[in-house]
Amino acid sequence: MAGAGSSARTGVPARHLPNQLNDSNPASHDEATRLRKLLALCSHLSALAAQDADLDAVARVLAGGIGTSVAILDRELDLLASAGIAEPDGVMGQLREHAGAAAVDRVLLAVSHHRRALTVPGLTGSERSVAVAPVSVGQEFAGYLLTRSSRNAELSEDMRLLGTEHAAMVCGILLARDLVIAAAGGRARQELVDGLLAAGGREDGEVERWAQHLGLDAGKEHYVLSVSLARPRGGGLDAIESLLARLARDAVVTSRTDEVVAIVPVSSGSVAHPEQARALGRACAAAVTEHHLGIAAIGLGRPTGTAAGISRSYTEARRALAVSERMGEFGGVTVFADLGIHRLLVRIPDIADLRSFAGEVLGELLDEDNAGGAEYLSTLSVYFQENSSPRRTAQRLHVHPNTVSYRIRRIEEITGLSFGLHRDRLMAEVAVEILAALRSRP
């Protein structure tokens, strides 16, 4: 490293500018001319900060003002903008070849740590030096601005370093502006999503406009997917949002207080909803498990062809989640369209009421099962599923049809019900569904 105040150094940059600008010496006049050029350059760069400029504009102005090549890198050394470089994507390789990998890495570390501009000299005296200035956004280090000296440059090394530092400051201002705009855009997008989910079936043009602003295709049906985590870990919902956005690239995905919500278009093809939705839900659950983010429960609403219907689909997705949680099965994928009578049962606030109803209808039959008698409840459940067919019930249970008929008669005797009566049969079916959902044999 050369010492401070030299034209090629890796220490703190010098700030030696001429003090006698009206000296009659021609060298002083040249110095004054270069200083005026530097001031004009800095003024031009400052003006960019007040305009709708980008990093490419800063690179072009800086390269033209000091006659050098310019590269702007993020903190991971990925290229953000450049000017005057034949192969910008290989700028770091060129720099390490120019100055040596170890020297470059030391300077980059020092620049990021101390937030001061430094110079990387070439490996030989004939090599041009590279100035490296930190780009900061507020208190956060955001990247580097690199300029390479020109053999025919009008500005001195000190002046080039000052210009590089000033340009890096302008880059930080522009990046901060972009972050503010992105944050505002994110808040606006979140408000649009929240408005759609809470629209409550509003049928007006405002809801349609919200959907258009979110980029939803009015020619497609959409459904809502909701992901909730049990025992979530730090950043779990944000990570799930990223995973889901990759799995459903056409979806609108956002994190909320306790869930991740996706508004997903129904794809045209041979696979129809809800199988499409079920496949996406399974893929999401698998990704959550693979990334060790916790236990995920996924609820899926039915598709809708209107923006106003998205609120209904979201409500269905949340009810599907509520079913899995209420019935002690948190985790996995629950499709609202598959719930059947559980859509109604989940709305009864007290599970004890459901259990009490099942007990009143089936009565002593539950005691028979608990005592280890014939599997009356499982027989009755399959019997109802097979539309009261003893033959099909027997096939599923691997017993003789006469055994099924006997068990059904015994169930009627024990409960006092007659399955030939619609009212008795309906109550028994609901009671069996309740017990199956609770996975309980009280």
Side-chain angles (χ1 to χ4, degrees):
M1 292 186 183
S6 64
S7 61
R9 58 205 176 287
T10 54
V12 178
R15 296 291 189 274
H16 298 309
L17 296 178
N19 294 321
Q20 298 177 352
L21 299 181
N22 16 351
D23 197 308
S24 59
N25 190 318
S28 296
H29 288 297
D30 291 342
E31 192 78 358
T33 300
R34 288 195 292 269
L35 181 57
R36 284 194 292 270
K37 183 172 182 178
L38 174 62
L39 294 176
L41 171 63
C42 291
S43 178
H44 193 173
L45 289 169
S46 296
L48 293 178
Q51 301 168 4
D52 188 20
D54 56 18
L55 297 182
D56 285 316
V58 175
R60 288 193 300 270
V61 169
L62 182 60
I66 60 178
T68 186
S69 55
V70 176
I72 303 171
L73 310 175
D74 66 14
R75 60 190 302 165
E76 305 300 329
L77 303 182
D78 292 325
L79 188 70
L80 299 176
S82 67
I85 301 177
E87 298 179 6
D89 290 340
V91 66
M92 284 309 302
Q94 298 170 32
L95 179 58
R96 289 190 167 99
E97 182 179 350
H98 159 79
V104 170
D105 291 342
R106 283 197 302 270
V107 168
L108 293 177
L109 181 62
V111 167
S112 64
H113 182 70
H114 297 294
R115 310 290 176 88
R116 306 282 301 270
L118 300 174
T119 302
V120 184
L123 288 173
T124 66
S126 61
E127 288 283 359
R128 292 170 289 170
S129 63
V130 176
V132 184
V135 176
S136 299
V137 177
Q139 298 300 314
E140 295 295 321
F141 174 72
Y144 307 88
L145 191 151
L146 282 63
T147 62
R148 190 173 185 180
S149 65
S150 169
R151 292 187 178 91
N152 301 317
E154 296 182 35
L155 299 183
S156 67
E157 287 288 282
D158 285 331
M159 291 181 178
R160 178 168 66 92
L161 201 59
L162 285 170
T164 301
E165 284 186 300
H166 189 76
M169 180 192 70
V170 172
C171 289
I173 293 172
L174 296 181
L175 288 175
R177 179 203 64 189
D178 291 342
L179 289 175
V180 170
I181 292 173
R187 286 193 297 272
R189 182 176 180 274
Q190 185 70 55
E191 289 173 2
L192 289 171
V193 172
D194 290 344
L196 276 180
L197 299 182
R202 281 175 53 182
E203 298 287 350
D204 57 32
E206 188 70 14
V207 177
E208 296 293 337
R209 283 192 291 274
W210 295 344
Q212 291 173 4
H213 289 319
L214 285 170
L216 299 181
D217 188 344
K220 288 186 176 182
E221 288 190 315
H222 293 77
Y223 63 92
V224 175
L225 178 150
S226 175
V227 184
S228 181
L229 275 181
R231 300 189 296 277
R233 297 168 188 173
L237 293 180
D238 290 338
I240 290 175
E241 180 181 354
S242 298
L243 290 172
L244 194 50
R246 289 197 293 270
L247 291 170
R249 297 189 181 276
D250 294 335
V252 173
V253 185
T254 185
S255 295
R256 309 184 86 208
T257 303
D258 59 351
E259 64 177 335
V260 176
V261 174
I263 303 173
V264 189
V266 178
S267 302
S268 56
S270 58
V271 180
H273 185 89
E275 191 50 44
Q276 278 186 29
R278 196 176 287 112
L280 176 60
R282 286 195 293 263
C284 181
V288 170
T289 300
E290 180 182 350
H291 288 80
H292 308 289
L293 299 174
I295 300 174
I298 300 170
L300 296 155
R302 291 177 298 177
T304 175
T306 66
I310 288 174
S311 176
R312 171 188 57 77
S313 184
Y314 171 65
T315 299
E316 293 173 351
R318 293 298 298 176
R319 284 186 187 167
L321 285 176
V323 168
S324 66
E325 186 174 359
R326 283 277 306 277
M327 302 310 176
E329 298 178 2
F330 189 94
V333 180
T334 307
V335 182
F336 182 81
D338 297 341
L339 292 181
I341 196 172
H342 299 295
R343 301 181 195 176
L344 301 177
L345 298 182
V346 75
R347 305 189 73 174
I348 298 175
D350 191 350
I351 290 180
D353 288 342
L354 296 175
R355 196 184 301 275
S356 175
F357 173 80
E360 291 172 7
V361 172
L362 298 178
E364 296 180 5
L365 181 66
L366 302 183
D367 296 329
E368 289 280 342
D369 250 25
N370 282 337
E375 295 182 348
Y376 291 134
L377 282 177
S378 60
T379 299
L380 189 57
S381 176
V382 175
Y383 181 73
F384 288 146
Q385 292 170 25
E386 295 298 337
N387 200 25
S388 304
S389 169
R391 181 181 60 81
R392 291 196 298 272
T393 302
Q395 288 175 344
R396 285 186 54 184
L397 296 175
H398 305 291
V399 297
H400 195 277
N402 290 342
T403 301
V404 173
S405 298
Y406 169 76
R407 290 180 182 177
I408 296 301
R409 287 197 302 272
R410 280 292 298 151
I411 290 170
E412 289 179 320
E413 292 172 1
I414 293 170
T415 60
L417 300 172
S418 173
F419 298 143
L421 298 176
H422 177 265
R423 179 177 178 275
D424 285 2
R425 178 188 173 89
L426 178 61
M427 288 195 303
E429 286 196 63
V430 172
V432 168
E433 285 293 325
I434 289 172
L435 293 177
L438 294 175
R439 294 185 178 277
S440 172
R441 299 293 184 269

